[in-house]
Amino acid sequence: MEYNYREGSPKGPEHWGELNEEMEKCKDGKLQSPIDLFDSNARKAISRVDDLNMSYNPSKATMKLEHHAISIQWEGDAGSIQINGTEYLLKRCHWHRSSEHFINGRRFLFLFASLFVKSKILHICLNRVFFISYDLELHMVHQSQNNDVAVVAFLYQSGNPDPFLSKISNDVSSLSVTKEARLGVIHPSLIKWPSSRFYRYIGSLTAPPCTEGVIWSVSEEVQ
């Protein structure tokens, strides 16, 4: 494996940009993702006809276990989204555990307070702010005819079962043996869009080669 996600590894994220020329953006890029989403660095986008209009089709799909994520790749025409009049075809989706993006600096302090509000330990941490990620992040990766990339992202935290994840859970379990599973026909609209409101910013791929110019639309609502 050319790179990995292990902290402190010579092939880990802090060294991606040094591994070869194609990955230099991981070190020198100016628009790198992920980011902490604040109103000051990402504008709010609302899904509508001319911006982030979703039009998906059922299509055959294959689930794969990759070195950094579990992915589903669609074959043929799985539909598209439109952003400012440009069509971006859905190619694949994948999950990251934990999430890569933060929303308004989600703070460990709030979780800590809810768990230990009656504890004498709480006052020790009142002056500290800890950032933690959400439990899961889903990326729906789209590509235009000019090979420009647009990603629609959703954040999840543990709670009630998600219908789409429940539907494919057995296939996920089988990947530890098979590394690949044919899912048959899967409709991308099974992935629910809980809100029409998104954060929008221009960033990069979050894995090498860290290509910039990616249009990110991150759902404002955590599922």
Side-chain angles (χ1 to χ4, degrees):
M1 187 186 304
E2 189 173 29
Y3 66 91
N4 61 47
Y5 284 77
R6 294 192 295 273
E7 186 176 352
S9 166
K11 295 184 178 181
E14 60 269 35
H15 298 293
W16 284 351
E18 304 164 2
L19 297 179
N20 62 51
E21 291 183 0
E22 293 181 356
M23 296 163 62
E24 285 182 350
K25 283 289 185 183
C26 300
K27 177 180 66 174
D28 300 329
K30 305 301 182 184
L31 297 171
Q32 287 295 292
S33 298
I35 66 173
D36 189 359
L37 295 162
F38 287 95
D39 293 344
S40 60
N41 64 11
R43 72 179 180 86
K44 294 291 183 65
I46 299 177
S47 179
R48 57 183 187 271
V49 173
D50 60 343
D51 189 354
L52 207 55
N53 179 38
M54 171 186 64
S55 179
Y56 292 137
N57 306 313
S59 185
K60 290 183 179 180
T62 300
M63 180 184 292
K64 296 184 178 182
L65 178 61
E66 301 175 332
H67 65 270
H68 70 286
I70 292 173
S71 72
I72 293 178
Q73 299 181 13
W74 276 274
E75 306 166 16
D77 181 13
S80 63
I81 57 173
Q82 285 199 8
I83 298 178
N84 295 327
T86 298
E87 184 179 39
Y88 294 83
L89 302 176
L90 177 63
K91 297 299 183 180
R92 63 188 181 276
C93 72
H94 58 256
W95 291 265
H96 292 269
R97 182 186 177 195
S98 310
S99 72
E100 296 191 315
H101 286 89
F102 297 86
I103 294 181
N104 290 321
R106 182 187 181 211
R107 285 167 169 78
F108 179 82
L109 179 58
F110 299 142
L111 178 61
F112 187 93
S114 68
L115 293 175
F116 299 101
V117 68
K118 296 181 180 180
S119 170
K120 295 180 180 179
I121 300 175
L122 179 59
H123 74 277
I124 298 175
C125 292
L126 286 179
N127 293 323
R128 297 183 182 180
V129 176
F130 299 89
F131 292 94
I132 65 168
S133 58
Y134 294 95
D135 295 323
L136 199 69
E137 181 167 342
L138 167 64
H139 295 164
M140 301 182 74
V141 182
H142 306 73
Q143 194 170 39
S144 72
Q145 289 186 342
N146 294 328
N147 294 322
D148 295 324
V149 176
V151 181
V152 181
F154 301 95
L155 304 177
Y156 298 81
Q157 56 189 2
S158 296
N160 294 326
D162 176 79
F164 184 67
L165 291 176
S166 296
K167 179 180 177 64
I168 62 174
S169 61
N170 289 337
D171 299 292
V172 172
S173 299
S174 72
L175 291 180
S176 61
V177 177
T178 63
K179 309 301 181 185
E180 185 172 311
R182 294 280 182 176
L183 301 180
V185 175
I186 294 290
H187 202 310
S189 65
L190 290 173
I191 300 172
K192 299 303 181 184
W193 291 34
S195 170
S196 62
R197 299 181 64 83
F198 292 80
Y199 287 94
R200 168 71 52 76
Y201 77 100
I202 305 300
S204 73
L205 300 178
T206 60
C210 304
T211 305
E212 296 184 329
V214 174
I215 301 176
W216 280 90
S217 302
V218 183
S219 178
E220 185 181 55
E221 182 175 332
V222 178
Q223 300 194 60

